[in-house]
Amino acid sequence: MFRATYRSRRVLRTTIAATVMAGALFATAACEQAQQAISCAELATNLTNDIATLSNVLNDPAAARKALDNLQKTLDDKTKDLDSNDAKNAANGLGDVITQLSTKAANGGSLSAGDVQPLINGAKNLAAICVK
């Protein structure tokens, strides 16, 4: 009788421990996914703010170059926190657009609202990927 009770308790303790460990692993995975979503959304928000800043200084080439530099820095700083290949690809596409606009601004060209539209579209695309 004692032996059966001891085994039952041991099995029960093992089952409880396994359940707790499985729950902890699930919670950790869920936290990592949540953190990735937060990082991605934070990147999209920061990019949107930087794009708005750029839109406000289109007629000032020096300020536009500075805004593009800030945009690139935001992109570089935050992209390393992303695990999603789709998000990284979207960020790389934005980086290409920033490079093109930076080259245009560095060569003395003024930027227009039409030049900024691909950045806006890219940020929207990234935000859409973040909420998947």
Side-chain angles (χ1 to χ4, degrees):
M1 179 93 172
F2 174 74
R3 209 166 174 105
T5 303
Y6 177 73
R7 278 191 207 160
S8 297
R9 287 183 184 163
R10 193 172 86 203
V11 168
L12 180 61
R13 281 194 309 247
T14 303
T15 303
I16 290 171
T19 303
V20 168
M21 289 181 68
L25 289 174
F26 178 76
T28 300
C31 286
E32 287 178 21
Q33 288 176 337
Q35 184 58 45
Q36 284 300 311
I38 290 168
S39 293
C40 194
E42 190 176 86
L43 171 60
T45 300
N46 291 344
L47 289 174
T48 301
N49 292 337
D50 288 349
I51 292 168
T53 300
L54 174 63
S55 295
N56 291 328
V57 296
L58 291 176
N59 294 328
D60 182 351
R65 284 194 305 273
K66 183 177 180 185
L68 286 164
D69 289 344
N70 287 338
L71 192 57
Q72 186 65 54
K73 183 178 182 330
T74 297
L75 190 63
D76 291 343
D77 289 348
K78 297 293 182 179
T79 301
K80 63 185 172 198
D81 295 335
L82 302 177
D83 283 341
S84 165
N85 286 332
D86 290 340
K88 285 183 180 181
N89 289 338
N92 288 337
L94 276 169
D96 293 342
V97 173
I98 293 168
T99 300
Q100 292 169 358
L101 294 178
S102 294
T103 301
K104 183 176 181 179
N107 290 332
S110 62
L111 302 177
S112 68
D115 292 326
V116 177
Q117 191 60 47
L119 289 174
I120 294 168
N121 294 341
K124 284 180 184 178
N125 182 40
L126 182 60
I129 290 169
C130 288
V131 296
K132 283 185 182 178

